[in-house]
């Protein structure tokens, strides 16, 4: 019988740079028109995500409308109809506890006639989720599925103010108190040019120790065992002027006292620019970062006890 570590290693092999690249060249293509919340391109994006989960035979989340968590959002003076995409791989022992892996499905759309493709922001996170889901589903089909349930949440409206994740945490499809952790993936495909160390073998982690030191320790151990990325906590500092901790979807989970890790490779000259295109992604490093997230989710899903919150 393979140990959990060996199983994690085995199934992580299904996460490949080739598949990440194939998926991202579609997801960040001009056809998706920059995926602005409520617009045609965003509808194409949610259909693409849904059909991927259907093809992989990964179940829609309970109480969703065939993977869609529909909502009406007020954006400026308009009411916009939009949806999160939510899928689940049910746990085989402690199915009523949930690890939520998230990425935002939207981007900023078309500005001045130019398409803002959002390959890194957050195409990279979405394709990472799809590949991680495939890895868990492969395990599930071979009767090695996780003990706890894994929820894949593609949140809408992040660029409009973290709106889709806020909607999920206020109208959860699974009980919020049973959400063990949120691993949020937003921009993990490129290199921060401001780094003095020019080695791309790094990832910024934000929030891992804010609510649960145990989560932080698990994350460190998993990286050491499997991926050996340089874990950089620069932006985890409470006084970080960028305030990234407050600027992506994990923050809505943290507000509900759910331990979070935000995975991020930093901003670059194409952040919220038309130059954020799939040809600029480093697919080898995207693969490695996605594997770290997969291994961490695997461990959280299979630990004997759920991770503990810090005492106040």
């Amino acid at each position: 019988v393979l140990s959990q570590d060996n199983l994690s290693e085995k199934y992580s092999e299904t996460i490949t740079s080739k598949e990440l690249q194939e998926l991202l060249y579609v997801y960040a293509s001009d056809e998706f028109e920059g995926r602005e919340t409520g617009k045609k391109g965003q509808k194409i994006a949610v259909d693409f995500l849904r059909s991927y989960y259907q093809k992989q035979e990964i179940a829609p989340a309970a109480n969703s409308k065939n993977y869609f968590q529909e909502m009406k959002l007020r954006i400026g003076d308009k009411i916009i109809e939009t949806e999160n995409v939510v899928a689940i791989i049910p746990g085989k022992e402690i199915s009523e506890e949930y690890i939520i892996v998230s990425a935002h499905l939207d981007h900023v759309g078309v500005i001045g006639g130019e398409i803002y493709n959002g390959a890194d922001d957050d195409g990279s996170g979405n394709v990472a989720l799809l590949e991680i889901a495939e890895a868990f589903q492969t395990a599930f089909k071979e009767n090695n599925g996780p003990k706890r349930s894994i929820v894949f949440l593609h949140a809408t409206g992040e660029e409009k103010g973290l709106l889709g994740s806020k909607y999920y945490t206020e109208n959860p499809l699974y009980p919020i108190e049973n959400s063990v952790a949120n691993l949020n993936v937003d921009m993990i495909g490129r290199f921060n040019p401001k780094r003095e160390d020019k080695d791309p073998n790094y990832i910024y982690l934000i929030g891992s120790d804010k609510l649960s030191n145990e989560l932080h320790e698990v994350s460190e151990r998993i990286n050491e065992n499997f991926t050996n990325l340089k874990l950089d906590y620069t932006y985890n500092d409470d006084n970080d002027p960028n305030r990234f901790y407050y600027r992506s979807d994990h923050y809505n989970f943290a507000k509900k006292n759910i331990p979070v890790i935000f995975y991020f490779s930093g901003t670059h000259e194409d952040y919220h620019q038309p130059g954020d295109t799939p040809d600029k992604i480093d697919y080898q490093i995207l693969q490695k970062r996605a594997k770290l997230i997969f291994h961490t989710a695997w461990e959280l899903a299979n630990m004997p006890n759920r991770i503990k919150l810090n005492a106040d």
Side-chain angles (χ1 to χ4, degrees):
V1 178
L2 288 174
S3 72
Q4 284 299 348
D5 274 9
N6 292 354
L7 287 170
S8 191
E9 191 62 63
K10 173 184 171 179
Y11 294 113
S12 76
E13 294 303 312
T14 68
I15 298 170
T16 66
S17 56
K18 180 175 178 287
E19 287 179 2
L20 288 161
Q21 183 168 1
E22 285 167 1
L23 289 164
L24 191 53
Y25 265 85
V26 179
Y27 197 72
S29 65
D30 285 354
E31 188 200 345
F32 286 57
E33 295 177 0
R35 306 186 301 277
E36 187 180 353
T37 300
K39 298 277 173 75
K40 182 180 125 198
Q42 184 251 297
K43 305 299 180 186
I44 295 170
V46 296
D47 286 341
F48 173 82
L49 296 169
R50 172 162 71 185
S51 69
Y52 182 90
Y53 285 112
Q54 287 170 327
K55 197 165 80 230
Q56 297 288 340
E57 299 176 344
I58 297 169
N63 308 309
S64 69
K65 202 169 166 186
N66 193 17
Y67 301 90
F68 290 175
Q69 182 184 27
E70 297 177 336
M71 66 195 79
K72 290 186 170 72
L73 298 176
R74 177 174 286 284
I75 298 173
D77 55 1
K78 291 197 182 84
I79 299 290
I80 305 288
E81 294 192 2
T82 184
E83 49 283 298
N84 293 330
V85 179
V86 198
I88 187 166
I89 293 176
K92 59 179 191 184
E93 286 175 33
I94 321 167
S95 62
E96 70 289 351
E97 290 184 1
Y98 306 92
I99 314 298
I100 298 170
V101 191
S102 62
H104 69 90
L105 62 88
D106 62 311
H107 192 55
V108 298
V110 180
I111 303 171
E114 271 196 285
I115 296 171
Y116 286 57
N117 299 98
D120 194 25
D121 184 14
D122 183 27
S124 62
N126 284 276
V127 299
L129 255 63
L130 297 179
E131 282 286 279
I132 291 165
E134 181 192 20
F136 273 109
Q137 181 66 352
T138 306
F140 180 79
K141 284 181 168 169
E142 294 180 2
N143 212 21
N144 289 316
K147 288 180 185 168
R148 291 179 183 80
S149 300
I150 313 274
V151 175
F152 297 94
L153 168 64
H154 299 260
T156 190
E158 190 268 356
E159 300 286 5
K160 306 293 188 187
L162 317 185
L163 300 179
S165 56
K166 179 172 192 270
Y167 188 88
Y168 181 90
T169 58
E170 290 174 0
N171 307 274
L173 300 178
Y174 299 100
I176 210 82
E177 62 277 9
N178 293 354
S179 302
V180 173
N182 168 230
L183 305 180
N184 182 48
V185 193
D186 192 354
M187 299 178 62
I188 59 160
R190 286 183 58 174
F191 179 77
N192 176 1
K194 296 195 178 79
R195 286 178 71 83
E196 285 173 21
D197 172 2
K198 297 302 178 197
D199 180 2
N201 188 53
Y202 75 93
I203 184 99
Y204 295 111
L205 297 193
I206 303 172
S208 63
D209 61 351
K210 299 240 193 275
L211 293 169
S212 170
N213 290 330
E214 190 181 1
L215 176 60
H216 180 73
E217 286 154 16
V218 166
S219 164
E220 286 271 327
R221 184 178 80 244
I222 291 300
N223 179 58
E224 215 168 285
N225 288 358
F226 294 106
T227 37
N228 278 307
L229 283 155
K230 181 178 177 184
L231 303 184
D232 189 325
Y233 296 101
T234 302
Y235 298 126
N236 192 50
D237 185 327
D238 288 340
N239 301 314
D240 171 45
N242 296 287
R243 291 176 62 79
F244 288 127
Y245 179 63
Y246 306 95
R247 287 174 52 188
S248 188
D249 290 315
H250 60 278
Y251 184 57
N252 284 314
F253 289 93
K255 285 201 289 197
K256 298 283 187 190
N257 223 20
I258 295 162
V260 301
I261 304 178
F262 171 23
Y263 298 88
F264 179 55
S265 53
T267 56
H268 41 73
E269 63 279 8
D270 294 313
Y271 174 66
H272 283 192
Q273 296 299 321
D276 183 3
T277 49
D279 55 300
K280 294 180 183 166
I281 300 292
D282 181 334
Y283 290 96
Q284 285 307 128
I285 201 71
L286 176 57
Q287 171 187 298
K288 197 168 184 184
R289 290 163 177 163
K291 284 185 177 188
L292 170 64
I293 299 156
F294 168 75
H295 287 303
T296 306
W298 182 279
E299 178 69 8
L300 293 170
N302 288 300
M303 289 165 66
N305 300 309
R306 70 184 274 179
I307 53 159
K308 288 180 196 59
L309 287 159
N310 297 340
D312 289 337

